[in-house]
Structures are given as C-alpha cells and as structure tokens.
Amino acid sequence: MDSRLNAFLERADAVLARLEPLLPAPREAVDWNRSLAARWVREGRSGYLMPLEVSLDMRLSDLIGVDLQREQLGRNTRQFIDGLPANHALLWGSRGTGKSSLIRALLAEYAQAGLRLIEIERDHLGDLPRVVEQLQKLPQRFVLFCDDLSFEAGESDYRVLKSVLDGSLEQAPDNVLLYATSNRRHLVPEKESDNANWKHVDGELHPSEAVEDKIALSDRFGLWLSFYPFTQEHYLNVVEHWITQLAQAASLSWQRDAELDKLAIRWATGRGNRNGRCAYQFARYWVGLKLLEQQP
C-alpha cells in the first residue's frame, strides 16, 4: 500500500508541477491607502487590479478654456465624494481638447478627500461586475475611467456592452462611478439607412429602432459634456499657460510676442491640430529649444 501511495503522490506532484505555470499568480489586494490609481488587467478568464504610480502634476487650473465643463464635472465629482447622488459622465468631442486630462486632474484635486481612479479598457468592460465586487464596502470613492469608448461601423459589441453597463451600473455601490471619453457623442456611428425610417405620427417625430438602439448606449450616462475645437485665441492662450509653467520650473525668463504666436500657429498648422495637446507639445519644444540655446 505504501508503495502505491508513494507512486500516486509522485504522479500528483508531477501533474501539479506541469499545471502550476499555467495558473495565475496570486495577487495581493491593492492598498488604497497608499495607491491612488490602478488599472484593470485581464488575465485568462478573470483579471486583477494593478496599482499605478501616478503623477499629480496636472491640476484643474491647468485646463484653460473649458471652464464650464470643468465646473460641471467638478461639481458632479464633489457630490460623489460627499456621498450625494451623482451621475456617470460621458465626455465627448474633438481629440486633444482635454477630456482625459480633466478626469485625471480630478485625482490631483480630490485624492486627499478619498477619490481613487481605476482605468479600464473598452474591451474589458465586460469585467465590470468583477471590478465592482472588489470595490464595494471600501471607504474610498472610485471613478472607473474608460478612455476612447466608441465603436466602429459593423461592430455589434455595443449591444452586449449596453447590457453589461445596465446591470453593473444600476447595481453598483454608491462608492463607484463611471467616467468615459469619446470622440463621438453617440458612441456608435449612425448610417444614412438608420434615418430612413423616421416618421411623423400625429405631428410627433418617431426615430427608427436602429437609431434608438444606438443612442441607448449613450443614455447610460446621466452627464454629457461637450468639447469643441480650439479657436486660435484659445490655442495661443493654452500655449502661453504651458510655456509659463515650464519656463518657471526651469527658471527661464521669457515674454510672449507676435513672433512666438506665429511659431505656435505654424506648429499647429503643420500637425493639422489646434488643441490643448498640440499647445503642450509646442510649449515643450520651445522651452527646450531656449534652454538648449543658453547652454555654453
């Protein structure tokens, strides 16, 4: 009997040795007293929260020309932190206009009040129930952040996502909120054929079912914030702000003039983008160039 038992145990050890590399590594729970942000990482059929080292350099005051959007999202976030009713938010509009930066700046503003940020990719939103389950009953307030939430023509995943968002968001504890960004307000592109079946009934306009189905995904968000392309004046003001910040940190003296404005406009024209991201990139280029010229 002993020899048979020993043989069985040896075989079991051999099987476990082969299976062990295939099993997910044990993960420690995130210490939210030390970590301000995390990212949901898919692993096999499940996943885990990976702590992130984040910079709190971006402040709400650094976002120039989006005062209304900043105030509305800030007010919604303050309500959330204070345990008051608040809405899930969709920030939509032109690229590079500060949508993602605004959400990340909230962390710098409210981290001391208990706000935490969790990044989750669009393709992983089906894991929302698992994520929410790990956050309930914790004292911190969590914003789930999904960047670039949109779908291309022909993709039908939005129907599955709509159901997941419905179930997860409606049953989410009061310490979890979803903020998403997109270049589109309706997340799913509409076709001309979708609008072919609109009709009037007793003077009322009734959209087709296809349109209703696509708009329904955006309706999961109670707060919609719109971001528009920068005017030239807006763009130059953002350039001035970032040059001021970078020059001050490097003890560089400078003064805005017409030549600088021309260079900034030429920079934006060459990239086909006149937005906040472009302004920040130009500021880094210009300040770096001036510092290089000062070197012996």
Side-chain angles (χ1 to χ4, degrees):
M1 177 65 70
D2 289 343
S3 61
R4 294 174 60 186
L5 178 60
N6 289 335
F8 171 77
L9 292 176
E10 289 176 0
R11 292 181 61 189
D13 286 340
V15 171
L16 289 175
R18 296 173 63 184
L19 288 177
E20 191 171 8
L22 304 177
L23 299 175
R27 306 289 179 181
E28 294 185 5
V30 178
D31 183 357
W32 291 111
N33 292 318
R34 299 176 57 186
S35 298
L36 301 181
R39 178 182 294 119
W40 176 257
V41 178
R42 176 74 61 81
E43 186 177 51
R45 295 185 178 181
S46 184
Y48 64 96
L49 288 170
M50 180 180 71
L52 299 177
E53 293 291 334
V54 294
S55 169
L56 301 182
D57 293 340
M58 177 70 71
R59 314 292 299 192
L60 288 175
S61 56
D62 289 323
L63 299 166
I64 308 298
V66 289
D67 299 2
L68 180 60
Q69 298 92 324
R70 183 177 60 198
E71 174 57 30
Q72 287 183 309
L73 191 64
R75 182 170 58 246
N76 190 69
T77 306
R78 289 195 300 272
Q79 292 173 204
F80 173 57
I81 292 172
D82 291 342
L84 304 174
N87 279 307
H88 307 290
L90 173 63
L91 287 66
W92 72 276
S94 302
R95 67 186 189 278
T97 50
K99 301 183 295 296
S100 301
S101 297
L102 179 53
I103 294 175
R104 294 189 174 100
L106 291 172
L107 185 61
E109 198 75 18
Y110 299 113
Q112 294 299 320
L115 185 67
R116 300 293 183 266
L117 192 66
I118 296 177
E119 296 183 357
I120 182 169
E121 296 182 16
R122 186 207 80 171
D123 294 338
H124 298 167
L125 282 173
D127 297 335
L128 270 179
R130 297 187 183 96
V131 180
V132 170
E133 183 181 5
Q134 298 185 31
L135 304 178
Q136 57 187 353
K137 297 182 181 180
L138 293 177
Q140 293 83 7
R141 318 293 289 181
F142 296 92
V143 167
L144 303 181
F145 171 37
C146 182
D147 202 14
D148 195 20
L149 178 60
S150 60
F151 297 86
E152 299 302 323
E155 287 188 279
S156 58
D157 292 352
Y158 74 90
R159 291 189 176 90
V160 177
L161 179 58
K162 186 175 64 175
S163 300
V164 172
L165 290 178
D166 264 342
S168 300
L169 297 184
E170 289 179 359
Q171 300 174 20
D174 63 1
N175 69 331
V176 177
L177 214 57
L178 177 63
Y179 286 177
T181 68
S182 176
N183 293 333
R184 304 190 189 107
R185 182 177 59 175
H186 289 152
L187 302 180
V188 185
E190 295 181 42
K191 302 177 182 177
E192 184 177 354
S193 59
D194 292 340
N195 298 286
N197 297 319
W198 284 59
K199 57 185 178 179
H200 286 273
V201 178
D202 295 331
E204 292 185 356
L205 187 63
H206 291 257
S208 68
E209 292 183 0
V211 174
E212 288 279 13
D213 186 39
K214 292 181 176 181
I215 294 177
L217 182 58
S218 301
D219 283 344
R220 271 55 190 171
F221 300 89
L223 178 62
W224 288 7
L225 298 177
S226 308
F227 291 74
Y228 301 101
F230 284 12
T231 63
Q232 181 167 294
E233 181 182 3
H234 183 183
Y235 166 72
L236 292 175
N237 287 338
V238 176
V239 167
E240 180 181 6
H241 170 78
W242 283 119
I243 290 181
T244 300
Q245 297 295 314
L246 295 170
Q248 183 177 359
S251 300
L252 173 69
S253 298
W254 76 287
Q255 187 173 3
R256 179 177 171 179
D257 54 24
E259 184 61 28
L260 175 63
D261 287 356
K262 288 180 182 178
L263 288 174
I265 294 170
R266 191 176 303 139
W267 177 278
T269 302
R271 283 153 182 75
N273 293 320
R274 193 170 60 197
N275 54 36
R277 183 182 298 124
C278 182
Y280 179 69
Q281 292 167 347
F282 173 77
R284 290 181 63 84
Y285 156 77
W286 190 86
V287 171
L289 181 63
K290 293 303 176 183
L291 291 174
L292 185 64
E293 291 174 351
Q294 290 184 359
Q295 292 182 359

